[in-house]
Amino acid sequence: MSSQAQTVADRFFGSLAYLLPIADVGFFGYFVFAEFPIVGNFYQTIAPILQLNSGFVGLFLFILLYAGVVANPRISRFIRFNVLQAILLGILLFLFGFPLRFALESSLLPIAVTQVLMNTVFIGTWAIVVYGIVMSALGRYTEVPQLSETAQIQIDRF
């Protein structure tokens, strides 16, 4: 990927994109919130903002970001790459959410296994988000195996 210098705006908007998965990962924090109430309190504080990324508003936001940012070659490749990577992360969280919700509600898996899976997704997503924000703020492309490759392939199509 290009190592050209990114503008301050590119860095800011590239970093801002990684706030999207924070809204999507809240469900997976169920056990973390129970164990560490301060994390749950943080999510409660930002809950009104997170609600913007749900239901039809979330679908509209997805379409707006994809069509208006990712597919728009007039916007910096750096911003488009980071927005797409954040969208892809959100899609993965959505897909992981179905089986884990089912496992949690139906008691299909032992609660300890469900807890480990949910904690892993929650903490892993936060690690990717923090990494993405830091790398974007530094003006560097975030390299997450498979996720970055997929984003790069899609961005190169436009």
Side-chain angles (χ1 to χ4, degrees):
M1 283 185 248
S2 174
S3 61
Q4 72 184 40
Q6 310 304 331
T7 67
V8 173
D10 288 350
R11 292 174 185 210
F12 174 75
F13 288 113
S15 297
L16 190 63
Y18 289 98
L19 297 180
L20 290 170
I22 290 174
D24 298 328
V25 79
F27 160 75
F28 297 96
Y30 177 80
F31 295 104
V32 173
F33 300 156
E35 191 70 32
F36 302 99
I38 192 163
V39 179
N41 291 340
F42 168 73
Y43 264 85
Q44 287 292 331
T45 304
I46 63 172
I49 297 168
L50 301 180
Q51 293 303 320
L52 293 175
N53 195 26
S54 63
F56 287 115
V57 176
L59 178 62
F60 177 73
L61 182 62
F62 167 78
I63 292 168
L64 178 70
L65 286 173
Y66 191 82
V69 177
V70 174
N72 187 348
R74 293 178 295 183
I75 293 178
S76 146
R77 184 183 193 287
F78 184 75
I79 294 172
R80 293 184 301 131
F81 174 83
N82 285 298
V83 168
L84 183 55
Q85 199 158 252
I87 288 171
L88 291 172
L89 189 55
I91 291 169
L92 286 174
L93 291 170
F94 178 77
L95 294 174
F96 284 141
F98 279 120
L100 285 176
R101 273 187 173 84
F102 180 74
L104 190 62
E105 293 170 1
S106 67
S107 301
L108 181 66
L109 295 174
I111 195 72
V113 173
T114 305
Q115 182 176 358
V116 167
L117 292 172
M118 289 179 66
N119 288 349
T120 301
V121 171
F122 183 78
I123 294 168
T125 300
W126 267 97
I128 293 171
V129 165
V130 169
Y131 174 65
I133 290 171
V134 169
M135 293 301 285
S136 294
L138 293 173
R140 298 185 185 144
Y141 281 87
T142 306
E143 293 293 330
V144 178
Q146 293 304 124
L147 194 64
S148 298
E149 294 165 15
T150 303
Q152 183 176 348
I153 289 167
Q154 289 298 314
I155 293 298
D156 289 344
R157 290 180 49 212
F158 296 108

